[in-house]
Amino acid sequence: MSPWRRRREPGLPSGWEHITERAMAHWALLDEPERTRLGELMELLLRHKRWEAAAGFALTDEIRVVIAAQAALLILGLDYACYRDVQAIIVHPTTITLTGARPGPAEGLVTDSPMPILGQANDRRGPVIIAWDAARADARHPERGHNVVFHEFAHKLDMLDDLIDGTPPLADAAARKRWIEVCTAEYELLRSGYGDDLLSDYAAVNPGEFFAVVTEVFFDLPRELRAAKPDLYSVLRDFYRQDPALRQAPG
Ligand SMILES: [Zn+2]
């Protein structure tokens, strides 16, 4: 398709700050420069990515803004180019049920049992798929520690080096070494059955899911994560270049 025939995306709608403030609890904790940066990233995401609704569903400004705000929060300390491989965001009204043969839970296995999911980001250049009802509830309730938008976009960051291995591109060899040491220790702890209230069992599925799940907790329950797992918190803080545990609710 010729670039000039591609439909221009409209960018940030007026009132986006009001929508974000109402819909995303994290907004209240951001300072003014962070809010400005969030808006810049949201504008880029809304203008340059393809936003699609699943069949029978229609996107509204609220849907686009609330999903873009969460995706933007993840890279508030990073570069917009981190999302260069995100070409499309496909929004479903609610839980999506996967059917048909696909890779199973273990390598080499194929499954065809129906599986309900809230989101998906399987391929480096494939779309991010999001269930709107989950994304909306997660934005309002960080205290639950689950966030489908953080989760799926974290997979996209992980995939920047072509591997979904729980290790996104890091600043240097020392950072990479420390990341692998800290994450492997926590992951092995979970695998050996030492689950905890903070990280869901899903984090023990594979290293890629571990990174996506700890990302959710890092942004939703940062003080709890810092208190319980300071090493894990610190490698995430260094990677994301954000320190969400320091953000304080106003007054
Ligand atoms: Zn996942």
Side-chain angles (χ1 to χ4, degrees), residues 119-121 151-152 155 202 206 208-209 212-213 216:
Q120 194 172 48
H151 183 106
E152 302 306 338
H155 281 319
Y202 198 58
N206 60 46
E209 297 307 338
V213 170
E216 296 176 64

Side-chain angles (χ1 to χ4, degrees), residues 198-217:
L198 215 45
L199 301 181
S200 74
D201 293 345
Y202 198 58
V205 167
N206 60 46
E209 297 307 338
F210 177 83
F211 171 55
V213 170
V214 299
T215 291
E216 296 176 64
V217 176

Side-chain angles (χ1 to χ4, degrees), residues 103-158:
E107 207 172 346
L109 284 181
V110 174
T111 180
D112 60 1
S113 51
M115 184 172 77
I117 58 164
L118 300 175
Q120 194 172 48
N122 275 351
D123 305 306
R124 179 162 173 187
R125 290 179 181 79
V128 176
I129 299 171
I130 297 289
W132 165 237
D133 59 356
R136 181 172 52 186
D138 293 345
R140 284 206 184 125
H141 296 289
E143 76 281 2
R144 296 177 188 166
H146 294 292
N147 187 296
V148 64
V149 178
F150 297 161
H151 183 106
E152 302 306 338
F153 280 82
H155 281 319
K156 282 293 189 184
L157 299 177
D158 190 358

Side-chain angles (χ1 to χ4, degrees), residues 57-76:
F57 188 49
L59 297 187
T60 62
D61 280 349
E62 185 197 8
I63 293 172
R64 293 161 64 252
V65 163
V66 173
I67 293 174
Q70 296 172 78
L73 183 64
L74 205 63
I75 58 162
L76 203 58

Side-chain angles (χ1 to χ4, degrees), residues 150-204:
F150 297 161
H151 183 106
E152 302 306 338
F153 280 82
H155 281 319
K156 282 293 189 184
L157 299 177
D158 190 358
M159 283 177 220
L160 281 168
D161 56 6
D162 273 325
L163 296 170
I164 311 182
D165 59 355
T167 308
L170 292 153
D172 54 39
R176 188 178 161 80
K177 182 166 176 285
R178 172 149 170 80
W179 177 281
I180 292 171
E181 275 170 15
V182 169
C183 292
T184 304
E186 288 292 346
Y187 177 67
E188 292 302 332
L189 206 61
L190 284 178
R191 296 280 289 184
S192 59
Y194 289 95
D196 52 59
D197 296 341
L198 215 45
L199 301 181
S200 74
D201 293 345
Y202 198 58

